[in-house]
Amino acid sequence: MTFDDIHTEIRNLVLNHDAEGLSLRLPKLTDAERATVAAELPDLLAELRESPLPAVGWDAFDQVTGPFEELMMVGAATIPGPAGAATWLMKRDLNPRWSGAPSPHRLVKAVSGRPVAWRAKLAVRLARRIRRPDDRIVPLALELLRDGEATPPDHEPLVAAWLSAVGVANDPLTPHLLPKIFEAAGAGRALVNETLTPKPSRRLALAARTLPREQIIAGCVSRFLLGGDAQDLRFFVRLHTLVAPTPEESAGRLRDYLRLLPTAPGPVAELAWQQVRRARLDPADVAEAIEAMTFRQEAKLAVKGLTWLDRDLGRHPERVADHVTALTNAYAHASHEVRDRAVALTLKHADHLTDPAPILEAAELLPPASARQLFERFVEGWAGDFTPGRLPEVTVPGPFPTSGLESGPPEEIGWIDVEAWLAAVTREAHTNPDSLKETLAQRFGEHLRPVLYDAPTWQSPRDWCTALARELVNPGEDPGPPMSRPHPSYRKTISEDQRADAEQAFPGLSGELGQALYDGMVNVAAAAFQLFPGLRTIVPLHELPDYVREGILWTDDVQTDLYDPKARPAPAPWNRLPHLRECARPHAFLLSRLDELLRAAKAGALPPVLLATPTRADGHLDSETLLNRLAVYADSGREPLPLDMAQALLRLPPDPAPDLAERAKGLGSAAATEVARRFERGAPPAPEVELTWTLDLGSRVGPYDDQVLDQRGIAHVSWQPAEPTGLAHLDALLTAPETRPFRRASRHFWPGMTPHHRELAAAHLAIGLIDRFDPPDIAIDDLRGLALAEGASGPATALVLAYFLTVEGDDVVPPLLQLAAKDALPAAETGRLLGLLGRRTRYGADPALPSLELAAKQGAHAEVWTILRHFLAVFLPREGERAQRLHTDAVVLAADLATWAGARGEIPEVAAHAQKRGSTSLTRACRSLHQFLTREA
């Protein structure tokens, strides 16, 4: 065959993807034929690139298909030098990212016509190019190394790749690569799945059978000293365990094993401990080993170290000074068991301690209850070192600010800003209306009108304040929400021309449907002419039908004069209050009060003064001030707005002076008479909130079974209605809603609306707080507002406080301290509810413990002890439930608080755990707490 025939034959095999045919044909080529084919390879590759027919596709496994393997075979079999062949095999064009690996057997077969030495050089060059175990060339490089009987290069990625590849029986690479597993990076990760039980897996058995014991022990120890995580070292731990070095074999490496104890991964440290524990060590090495073990974070290893310490001191009690560092290491351990054992050992061997100073210094790391035992033992006459902080002083909030119109809405909408602004507007409307109008026009510009008046409802106090300001600037400009404004289609009848055009435009639709579609088109055209005035130069109005032209002109007139009450049609009656059933009762009360004031402004009947404006920054209203304001109304012959008076009654102090009722009656007005009745009757009682629990079952809600631990609980808040006051809106506020409200945007107003009714504000905040919806609509500022308020605290306040203890951490401490300082902290109920939240809901008690400890240190130690006492009674695991670390942490903190508060009295739930058999961390902590609470006087 001529060279052209050879070239054509090889080309056809490549184009036909006949890899098997190439593997049979290529080894038979002569040197001259190889050179000819190699010379044509670049042209063949270029031809495939430029071919209009797709040379590349996708197979059923979403891998790229093409003549890549065939081209690799041709290049490897024909390119003269091993370096050039290796470069060709690594060519990017032949190794697309998503293509499958070439068949190593066919490639090896294709180069089988080359000399053995040449194939060995190619194998070594490819092996050196391996970077990761999953490289595409790994199978080919390994197969070439085996076929060419080449010595593998000293290349660490090659070792990891060989370990990760499919094993071969009687692999000729094993003697070369297996001894390198102790040094090669990635070898341990490649062997991570090798198992020791029920019998050693293949690689483990191969290493133990093939390599000398001394080499295995030395290699494993050296690998441990190199470091790595537990996964990287797992295979070597198992290999070391399988070999099981004798004490004689380990004796020369004891220093290495000691170095591994403090910082090596847990399985390595435990292995090293086993070797060290069996050896004969001098006292210094024993102390070093025990110190390293107690330094570790694993409780199991630290306990083993303390056990070893106890046995060593049992034989040599004079060595206790050598083990002080080990004991103080254990004081700082995270495990309660380790700390308790360390304290017990310290007390057990205290008679042999000559210098307790290091022990006392490290005792600061222990919980106070544990540290107390050490100080009582080593410090003569010690009576405790806990010095509680002082609760914050209870101060009367300052006077309510009297701000001008330059502050407040629309920028600031805090409840104080809004109340002060409303008072200023009402005052200035009577004393200086022109200046008021000018000021409001600057702050509430016309640019606010479209968004404001196009809204069907106003949900925020900001909107109502803006509407009030605009009404005073331009009376009557509110056109009503869009659905209340008249529409052209409602103003005129349909003409015959319009009806005929509709039938012509929609011949298949007769009657009202076709007419409605056509009228919609007319309205769209009218809107387009209004939005794009330039259309009139393209489509003159006089060329349009009369009814279309009238619609365009009417739209223009309405848009131009929309805010001019004299130029527009009167809107239908409207109300922008949201549906009150959707609103929380305080939110509905506030919006209704703002609506009442706006309607008074529209009627030109703004009151001379607002009764409900507070006199103190917490919302309190002074009774004398209220009487003075009522006198202003009496002098003018007017009655106050009903909701304004209802709000004023809510802000009055609970216990008025005895003569106030008679003075109110002397004013002679109906409002003054109602205020006199309030003075005589006193404030409405705090709601007696009842919490009932149900279980969220997805599609339904069922009763909560307290015998089953389920964290899908829902807390329902309800209370019995108070005695009616005769004021409808006030009675609604004092009554629990029938369904959960979703609109609560004015929550920050509520404590200021009920400054002497903390539990009422908390009850409305608590509705829906623990529900299936997440997250609840509440913030930490709401708790701060409750703490600032006055009045009784009950289950609702406790639920809000318990909730924030689980989610906000230390931000809860200042409100808690403020409630404690006012003697208004419902500590027992808070503890009980905190325990129920931990058991029945997704809100865990973990974040609460550090916050409670901080509050105790700042002066609320007695109150926090009450919280924890009732918390433990609910939260501790019951029979059949598994104890968790949080249970132990809570008992340990309670023991500290009991010490600080000097508490006494058995807690039955703690006593039940203290009497259990065994020595778990929770049991020991309960025994310690129970022993302290039941100590003799």
Side-chain angles (χ1 to χ4, degrees), residues 31 45 83 152 188 194 286 342 351 355 386 526 541 615 622 683 707 723:
D31 291 342
L45 186 58
E194 295 291 313
V286 171
D351 293 339
D355 181 15
F386 172 68
L541 292 184
T615 55
D622 181 66
Q707 303 302 318
E723 180 182 351

Side-chain angles (χ1 to χ4, degrees), residues 31-52:
D31 291 342
E33 290 170 344
R34 288 194 185 96
T36 300
V37 175
E40 298 294 337
L41 270 178
D43 295 336
L44 178 58
L45 186 58
E47 178 186 352
L48 291 173
R49 284 199 193 110
E50 299 170 3
S51 173

